[in-house]
DNA sequence: GTTGGTGCAAACCATTTGCACTGGC
DNA sequence: GCCAGTGCAAATGGTTTGCACCAAC
């Protein structure tokens, strides 16, 4: 954790930005909630728990800065808020998401699935790919299991 | 064109919605600008050219309705506005986009590239896919060509 | 003392909503 | 007459911005 913070600090310095206490607090929250796809507001509230004096605008400015530096990815699942996701270190590309349309859960797929697809796009469309966004919408394994479970329970109730 | 309008009308009727003049005007704009990835505001302005009395809220409500009925797809390229795209008739899935980070142009890929990827996701993550969003960000062939051209011109100027 | 960064409040802007009105069944 | 649909204006809510202030070099 500290190591990644240190690397982000260097990354900022390399572009003549400072890792101020506010920025550090924001980055720490992101590191501690790496799985969570937090919105700016979410980040703000979590930052505030430890550093109450910090302002919402600063969090927004920090997230924007981090996105510019490609330290985080700004993503959008179509629910009116931007979410921020730490990029895997060394990952050339954005990871993918599975959004559950039942419960809203968002799971991540780190593995690169698009190698072949990208080759096709670059060749057939003469398009130089720099990044991509891939999101699947559907039913996650939890809701899937739950549905089965509910069906079971239903059956048991009937037989009582 | 009329045929598609007719089918959309039937689609609305099948869910007990009417194709009012305002809705028809909105759908016509979408049909006439199928390639353009219009924002709600864009649609509104175009609708207004022919039907000045129409209100912005109505356009929003119509677009929302069309999205609910899966007649259009609501998409988001990360620039703060939702865009609306007519779904190809009979297309089970959303088509893909190539967004140019130089000139902002958005091209479409209709062909289905994700068959294999979807199979992997369904199997490995036990995730029932209902829809997907795939967007590539990079340099389009136009900007690519233009850069080459510019380099050429540069060279010619030098030798003059 | 200049400058990058911050906090606050106000501004912004895409989208949604309340409400009175209307036109077709 | 009822009710879906509409237009307008006001409200909403996430995000950005203006500005005074501060802390570090």
């Amino acid at each position: 954790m500290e190591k990644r913070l240190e690397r982000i600090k260097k990354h900022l310095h390399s572009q003549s930005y400072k890792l101020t206490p506010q920025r550090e607090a924001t980055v720490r929250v992101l590191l501690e909630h790496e799985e969570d796809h937090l919105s700016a507001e979410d980040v703000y509230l979590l930052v505030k728990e430890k550093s109450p004096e910090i302002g919402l605008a600063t969090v927004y400015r920090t997230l924007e800065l981090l996105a510019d530096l490609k330290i985080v990815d700004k993503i959008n699942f179509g629910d009116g808020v931007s979410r921020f996701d730490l990029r895997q270190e060394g990952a050339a590309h954005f990871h993918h998401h599975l959004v559950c349309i039942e419960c809203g859960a968002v799971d991540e797929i780190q593995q690169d699935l698009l190698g072949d697809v990208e080759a096709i796009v670059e060749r057939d469309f003469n398009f130089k790919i720099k990044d991509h966004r891939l999101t699947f919408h559907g039913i996650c394994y939890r809701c899937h299991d739950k549905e089965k479970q509910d069906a079971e329970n239903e059956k048991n109730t009937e037989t009582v």
Side-chain angles (χ1 to χ4, degrees), chain A:
Chain A
M1 182 80 92
E2 291 302 322
K3 224 186 250 175
R4 291 184 70 184
L5 187 64
E6 202 54 41
R7 274 196 285 261
I8 289 170
K9 183 174 179 177
K10 287 212 182 97
H11 194 153
L12 286 173
H13 285 168
S14 75
Q15 309 283 318
S16 335
Y17 294 111
K18 301 174 202 158
L19 185 63
T20 62
Q22 291 89 337
R23 287 177 184 169
E24 181 174 330
T26 304
V27 170
R28 277 185 189 281
V29 163
L30 292 174
L31 284 166
E32 284 159 18
H33 296 80
E34 196 157 9
E35 308 280 279
D36 290 355
H37 308 92
L38 302 173
S39 69
E41 187 88 28
D42 295 336
V43 174
Y44 171 64
L45 292 173
L46 287 165
V47 166
K48 236 176 178 324
E49 285 178 9
K50 296 203 176 149
S51 320
E53 71 290 353
I54 209 166
L56 177 59
T58 300
V59 171
Y60 268 100
R61 283 186 281 232
T62 300
L63 291 171
E64 196 194 342
L65 175 63
L66 295 174
D68 284 349
L69 295 181
K70 301 274 169 65
I71 294 167
V72 304
D73 281 307
K74 188 173 178 179
I75 51 181
N76 201 304
F77 296 133
D79 61 344
V81 287
S82 294
R83 298 177 180 278
F84 296 86
D85 230 5
L86 270 176
R87 207 173 255 237
Q88 283 308 99
E89 283 189 89
H93 274 311
F94 197 70
H95 53 270
H96 318 304
H97 292 100
L98 303 177
V99 180
C100 181
I101 54 182
E102 291 275 330
C103 67
V106 178
D107 295 313
E108 300 196 347
I109 303 179
Q110 294 295 346
Q111 85 196 71
D112 187 9
L113 302 167
L114 292 178
D116 295 347
V117 173
E118 295 200 347
I120 293 170
V121 171
E122 295 228 345
R123 194 190 61 217
D124 290 2
F125 295 87
N126 193 17
F127 187 87
K128 186 94 197 69
I129 295 173
K130 296 286 186 184
D131 202 357
H132 59 234
R133 300 281 140 122
L134 174 59
T135 307
F136 291 103
H137 298 255
I139 316 285
C140 73
Y141 66 93
R142 287 170 294 262
C143 291
H144 199 250
D145 291 353
K146 198 159 157 295
E147 266 171 32
K148 264 202 302 211
Q149 184 101 36
D150 288 351
E152 288 289 317
N153 292 345
E154 185 77 11
K155 212 165 58 187
N156 293 342
T157 312
E158 275 167 25
T159 53
V160 166

